Structure formats: C-alpha cells, structure tokens
Amino acid sequence: MELYINFEIPHELEEELSRRFKVVKGGDLSNVEAALVSRLTPEELAKMPRLRFIQVVTAGLDHLPWEHIPPHVVVAGNSGSNADAVAEFALAMLLAAFKKVFYYNEKMRRGDYKKDVSVPVLSGKKVAVLGLGEIGTRVARILAALGAEVWGFSRTPREGPWRFTHRLEDALRDAYAAVCALPLTKHTRGLVKYEHLALMREDAVFVNVGRAEVVDREGALRIVKERPRFIFASDVWWGRHDFSKDAEFFSLPNVIATPWVAGGYGSEEVWRKMVEEAVKNLLVWASGGTPKNIAKRQDYI
Amino acid sequence: MELYINFEIPHELEEELSRRFKVVKGGDLSNVEAALVSRLTPEELAKMPRLRFIQVVTAGLDHLPWEHIPPHVVVAGNSGSNADAVAEFALAMLLAAFKKVFYYNEKMRRGDYKKDVSVPVLSGKKVAVLGLGEIGTRVARILAALGAEVWGFSRTPREGPWRFTHRLEDALRDAYAAVCALPLTKHTRGLVKYEHLALMREDAVFVNVGRAEVVDREGALRIVKERPRFIFASDVWWGRHDFSKDAEFFSLPNVIATPWVAGGYGSEEVWRKMVEEAVKNLLVWASGGTPKNIAKRQDYI
C-alpha cells in the first residue's frame, strides 16, 4: 500500500513505516491510499483519487481543506500528543499573570520596587476551563489540585474535579481566570465574544492556548482597552504565523503574548513526540485496528 | 493575662483576643505574659520580664532577636498560613521561566516574532524541591501531578510523590529546575553555593521563595553571569526590603525578580489569613492546648 508523506520525518520512523508501506513523497500519487501530513492542499488531494485515510500530525484539524476531502476518507487527528506540553504552557501563563509575576518583574527591571498591586490567591477562586479535551482536562485537574473552584465548559459532558456546564456564560461569570483549550470547529469559531469576557471580573486573566479564532478578535481588543486590570494572555493569534497582523495587542501592558510555541511549533521535543504518536496511530489503521482521534466531518463543514 | 500586640490587627480579631486577654500596645509591659508580633526588638523584650509565649505572624522566624529571647519563652511561628499563596507563586515563576514565557513575551513586545528557543516539556524531567515544609510539599505534589520526576531535599525525611534525599548534591545534579522553600536557620544559611547550582543543567531554572540568605549571593551572581541560559528567579533578596542593594541582578536578562510579594507582604488577603491563623494558635496556647509551629531554639542559635 502506498503512503504519502509531505514533511520531514525522523529517519527511523520512516524506516518503520517502510516495513508496512511503500512511502512516496511526491511525483505520481495516483496509487496512494494513506497520507501522513502536517498540512494538506486541495492540489495534493486532487492527485490522490484512491486515498482512504489521512493521519494528521497536528492536534487541531481546522487547517485542512475540508471542502476538498471526500466524505469516505477517514481523517485522524493527533490530540493528546502535545497535551502535556500545552497544558504546562497554559498553567505557566495563567499562574504568572494571576500572581502578577510579569508585572513585578518588569517593574524590578526598571528599578521600581514599589508593591502597589496586591497578589491574589488562586486557591478558593472560580476559574473556568473552556474545552475539556486532552489539554483542558489536564489544566482543570491541576487547577483543582491547587484548590481552585473549577468550572468546566464543553459540548460533551465530562466528569472530573470540576463543575460542568454547557453554558459559556455560567462558566465565565465572575470568574477570576479562564483557560481556553477549545478546538477550532464550525461550532467554536468566534464563540467567545466581548459580552462573555465582560462577565469575568475586572481583573480577570483570560488565557488562550487553543486557536485564536475561537475568540472574537475585536471583542478581545475591546476588553483589554476598556479594562486595564484585565489580562489577556495568548499563545495563538488571528494572523496565524504572521504575528505582525496582531501587533496592536502586543504593545498593551495587559497583554501577555507568545508566538505559538506551546505545542509542536515551539519545541522539537514535542514535535518529535507528535510524529511518533501519529505514526503509531497510522500503523493501528494499517493493521486493521481502530485509530484514535477520528475527526467528525460535520464539525468542520 | 496581659497580651502585647505591636502591629495593626483587624478590629474583630482584637475584640476576640480581648475576651481572653488584657491587650496592651505599648507603655508599661511589665505584666505582659504573651506577645503577638510580626517583628520584635531587644528593647521590647527587655520590657517584658514575665513573658512566657511569643506568637509570630510570619512563617519565617529568622528575623527574631534570638539572643535576647530567654530559653524558657516558647516561640510559635505561623508556617502553613501563607503556604497556598507562596506555593502558587513558586509554581508561577518556575513554569513561566521553564516554558520561556517571559522570554517570548518580551520579544513579542519588541516586535521580534522569531521562534529561536525551544520550549521544553516539564513532564518526565527531574525537578528538585528544597525544603519539604508546608510550601515545599505543596509545590512537590503539583509538580508530581504534572508528571515531573520530583526529588525532595530536607533534613527530616518526609514521604510523598517524590524521591527523598538528605544530600543537596543528589537533588540538584542534572536537574532541569529547582524550587527552594527552605526556612532560614543556622543550618541553611548560605547552604546553596555556586558548586550546587553548577550541578544543575546549563539551562536550568532555580526558583527561590524562601529566604535569600539560604543561597550564597556571590554564587548565584556567578552562575547567572557564567551561564546565559540558566534562569535564576527569586522573590526574596539579600537586601531584604532594600531591593536597590541587589539591583545588579535585576538588569540581567536571565534573572526573574519580584519584590517579596509571594506571601503576606504582597497581599492583604494573605496577610489577613496569617493574622487569623496566628490569633487561633495563640488562643490554643491560652486555653492550655499545644500550639502549632513551636520553634526549636537550637535552629537559630
């Protein structure tokens, strides 16, 4: 069976795949039945009429050209493979913003040693976790272990040390902090609007490690401009890999920004693990098993 | 029985104490048998010949004039009362430094969007926790829940989700990160030297939320100057409340500094809780019970 790979993978993983597949990297793709990809273009898809299975390396699947993927093709994502890394990153942003570490560190550098802002305690405070997937549940468990009153928001109810809600408003109302780890689907695009952010406390911290487009850009900009004590911390930006498009945010003192480094794009160690997991999942499919993370087409189109 | 109080306490707590004690705040202290204090001077001690019990509001007791406290006077500290707050702060510093959030946030502000430093994963990595008291054990449990390989260092063995060691060298060797939450006693003063820090990885993160003096100042300065990828993050400084004495550290890019705000000095909410706990402990003593956190005199002189 022919397997199409369109990105660099470590030599030993390619060797492992070669035992099961004939690996092709370009040229004639007419006999390709499976694809291992990070991104995929409509042009590549058009060359693979016999394609039956797509294994994506990334956790998110929002970047696929869904309109061009025939309905019979099975698409498997890779959530979980970067979840430890991204959950750690979300907690890092949340805690450092909430505990005013960015604020005081910047002051200390300037030689301003005044303690003019009180450092709150997270334990006992309401914190919302939006999205209870691999990342969200990890974040929620640690926040619960820290003593926070965790509210979990998701479409599908999941049990854990949190109070579950279907209603975004209930999760965010009077919350001291929130972490957004929702996938980007047709259901979540633009979901978090100004009105939702405005339900949080004046001095709340909102962290996004999912996809920028889940949050309404103008709503986020309005809240950080209106509320100087509100902190918007995000690793993901609407300009995607062109961060200059969102430079308006980065100069604001109440914005904490990183350039999409929480997961595989920021770490060879994480990327390596993601490729390993994707290869494993692809081999499950190849041996007739049921792969993990099969995408629901109707979430995207 | 007369009780001496030398700092501002909330009205309702003073009222509670007034039911049990005659509260005095100055003047003639010759009949004082108990004291509720934040700091204490030799002069104040000299005025209280009948003193039997000192309840301190702070968790650390290193600032007391131990030479002037008669051996028969019982001294109770207040560890635990600020432990949630300080543990949160330690984790905030550790995670944000380890995940390069400070680094990338500063770059984004300058319009530099290059991903030039890899973000490591904490899960699976060796992390040392120095001091397994109220703060250290909280930090260690969360790090273990994050999947880190936690090494716990303390004089007294304590069981938990960590590998215990009496040897500082073993805790720090090849560690990716360390959190110091040791109390300052005659045993720990200057304990962590250059040689110990140098055992850690080149790009390790060392966090101090205990007392500055546990770490050798020149050793810390040498390591951050020699190793540009080493990060020294601290809330406590050798100059104590005069931070300008340590300004040499604050201008270095691999130093994260905050002005002693992790506990009661940085938060009214935490200070209030500390005073409440101290009052509770004092009332246990007054009613003939055994108060918590009784200090061992031989740890200080």
Side-chain angles (χ1 to χ4, degrees):
Chain A
M1 196 194 311
E2 289 192 13
L3 169 70
Y4 173 56
I5 303 181
N6 71 359
F7 66 104
E8 283 281 329
I9 79 165
H11 183 67
E12 60 280 21
L13 290 175
E14 189 171 330
E15 250 185 17
E16 198 179 338
L17 288 168
S18 297
R19 271 175 241 134
R20 174 68 75 156
F21 298 101
K22 184 186 166 200
V23 174
V24 295
K25 297 197 168 176
D28 179 15
L29 305 182
S30 60
N31 287 315
V32 162
E33 290 176 68
L36 173 63
V37 302
S38 58
R39 295 152 196 233
L40 197 57
T41 63
E43 294 69 35
E44 287 171 297
L45 278 163
K47 290 183 194 164
M48 300 185 279
R50 300 185 60 196
L51 187 67
R52 293 189 291 132
F53 182 68
I54 303 172
Q55 174 65 55
V56 185
V57 179
T58 55
L61 296 172
D62 49 279
H63 60 295
L64 293 183
W66 283 99
E67 306 279 353
H68 298 268
I69 301 174
H72 70 274
V73 174
V74 175
V75 178
N78 200 7
S79 52
S81 62
N82 67 355
D84 281 342
V86 179
E88 290 171 7
F89 201 90
L91 288 162
M93 278 192 149
L94 172 63
L95 287 171
F98 189 80
K99 302 298 283 187
K100 313 294 179 199
V101 184
F102 296 110
Y103 176 78
Y104 277 117
N105 182 47
E106 284 179 19
K107 270 167 58 97
M108 294 290 271
R109 284 208 194 294
R110 296 196 307 267
D112 174 359
Y113 310 135
K114 227 170 40 224
K115 301 178 196 192
D116 49 3
V117 169
S118 193
V119 176
V121 182
L122 188 71
S123 179
K125 304 294 185 344
K126 176 175 176 177
V127 181
V129 176
L130 313 182
L132 294 172
E134 297 278 353
I135 296 164
T137 51
R138 279 168 171 79
V139 169
R141 279 179 211 288
I142 296 294
L143 292 171
L146 284 167
E149 178 199 322
V150 183
W151 286 58
F153 164 82
S154 165
R155 271 200 302 160
T156 320
R158 280 193 80 161
E159 279 187 32
W162 49 76
R163 186 159 162 178
F164 178 80
T165 179
H166 276 111
R167 289 173 51 85
L168 186 56
E169 291 81 358
D170 293 345
L172 293 178
R173 187 174 294 111
D174 300 323
Y176 284 74
V179 172
C180 179
L182 287 162
L184 180 59
T185 67
K186 69 179 185 191
H187 311 291
T188 63
R189 187 174 292 273
L191 180 75
V192 182
K193 298 186 181 12
Y194 171 80
E195 306 87 83
H196 302 112
L197 298 171
L199 288 171
M200 299 180 75
R201 284 173 55 94
E202 278 284 328
D203 58 352
V205 176
F206 186 92
V207 173
N208 195 3
V209 291
R211 285 290 179 271
E213 296 88 341
V214 170
V215 180
D216 177 64
R217 188 182 187 279
E218 299 319 305
L221 200 54
R222 184 173 160 201
I223 204 94
V224 287
K225 286 188 172 173
E226 274 182 17
R227 299 189 178 179
R229 295 167 66 214
F230 190 101
I231 297 177
F232 184 80
S234 190
D235 183 46
V236 286
W237 300 96
W238 296 270
R240 291 254 157 176
H241 292 281
D242 183 0
F243 300 108
S244 66
K245 290 186 181 165
D246 295 306
E248 196 176 355
F249 281 85
F250 311 149
S251 54
L252 296 171
N254 54 338
V255 169
I256 308 294
T258 51
W260 207 350
V261 290
Y265 296 133
S267 166
E268 283 162 43
E269 182 182 352
V270 176
W271 183 253
R272 166 78 199 217
K273 198 189 158 206
M274 290 169 74
V275 177
E276 281 171 4
E277 291 292 316
V279 165
K280 213 181 283 178
N281 209 37
L282 172 59
L283 289 170
V284 168
W285 174 81
S287 62
T290 307
K292 290 192 293 186
N293 297 313
I294 293 179
K296 292 191 197 106
R297 183 182 178 79
Q298 65 271 27
D299 282 349
Y300 300 94
I301 46 177
Chain B
M1 197 194 309
E2 289 193 14
L3 169 70
Y4 174 57
I5 303 181
N6 70 358
F7 65 103
E8 283 281 329
I9 80 164
H11 184 66
E12 61 279 22
L13 290 176
E14 188 171 330
E15 250 185 17
E16 197 180 338
L17 288 168
S18 296
R19 270 174 244 135
R20 173 70 74 158
F21 298 101
K22 184 188 166 199
V23 174
V24 295
K25 297 197 169 177
D28 179 14
L29 305 182
S30 61
N31 288 315
V32 162
E33 290 177 68
L36 173 63
V37 303
S38 57
R39 294 152 197 233
L40 196 60
T41 64
E43 294 69 35
E44 288 171 296
L45 279 163
K47 291 183 193 164
M48 301 185 279
R50 301 185 60 195
L51 188 66
R52 292 189 289 133
F53 183 69
I54 303 173
Q55 173 64 56
V56 186
V57 179
T58 55
L61 297 172
D62 50 278
H63 60 296
L64 293 182
W66 283 98
E67 305 280 354
H68 299 268
I69 300 174
H72 70 275
V73 174
V74 175
V75 178
N78 200 8
S79 51
S81 62
N82 68 355
D84 281 341
V86 180
E88 290 171 8
F89 201 89
L91 288 163
M93 279 192 148
L94 173 63
L95 287 172
F98 189 80
K99 302 298 283 187
K100 314 293 180 201
V101 184
F102 296 110
Y103 176 78
Y104 277 116
N105 182 47
E106 284 178 19
K107 270 167 59 97
M108 293 290 270
R109 283 208 195 292
R110 295 195 308 267
D112 174 359
Y113 310 134
K114 228 171 38 224
K115 301 178 195 191
D116 50 3
V117 168
S118 194
V119 176
V121 182
L122 189 71
S123 179
K125 304 294 185 342
K126 177 175 176 177
V127 181
V129 175
L130 313 183
L132 294 172
E134 296 279 352
I135 296 164
T137 51
R138 279 168 172 78
V139 169
R141 279 179 212 288
I142 296 293
L143 291 171
L146 284 167
E149 177 197 323
V150 183
W151 286 58
F153 163 82
S154 166
R155 269 201 302 160
T156 320
R158 281 193 77 159
E159 281 189 30
W162 50 76
R163 185 158 163 179
F164 178 80
T165 179
H166 277 110
R167 289 173 50 85
L168 186 57
E169 292 82 358
D170 293 345
L172 293 178
R173 187 174 295 112
D174 300 323
Y176 284 74
V179 171
C180 180
L182 287 161
L184 180 59
T185 67
K186 71 178 186 192
H187 311 290
T188 64
R189 187 175 291 272
L191 179 75
V192 181
K193 297 186 179 18
Y194 171 81
E195 307 85 84
H196 302 111
L197 297 172
L199 288 171
M200 299 180 74
R201 284 172 55 93
E202 280 283 328
D203 58 352
V205 176
F206 186 92
V207 173
N208 194 3
V209 289
R211 285 290 179 271
E213 298 88 341
V214 170
V215 179
D216 177 63
R217 187 181 187 281
E218 298 319 306
L221 199 55
R222 184 173 161 200
I223 205 93
V224 287
K225 286 188 172 173
E226 275 182 15
R227 299 188 179 180
R229 295 167 66 215
F230 190 101
I231 298 177
F232 184 80
S234 191
D235 183 47
V236 286
W237 300 95
W238 297 269
R240 290 255 157 173
H241 293 281
D242 182 1
F243 299 108
S244 66
K245 290 186 181 164
D246 295 306
E248 195 176 357
F249 281 86
F250 311 149
S251 55
L252 296 170
N254 54 339
V255 169
I256 309 293
T258 51
W260 207 350
V261 290
Y265 295 133
S267 167
E268 283 162 43
E269 181 183 353
V270 176
W271 183 252
R272 164 81 200 215
K273 198 189 159 205
M274 290 168 73
V275 177
E276 282 171 3
E277 291 291 317
V279 166
K280 213 182 284 177
N281 209 37
L282 172 59
L283 289 170
V284 168
W285 174 80
S287 61
T290 306
K292 290 191 294 186
N293 296 314
I294 293 179
K296 293 191 196 107
R297 183 183 178 79
Q298 66 272 25
D299 282 348
Y300 300 95
I301 47 178

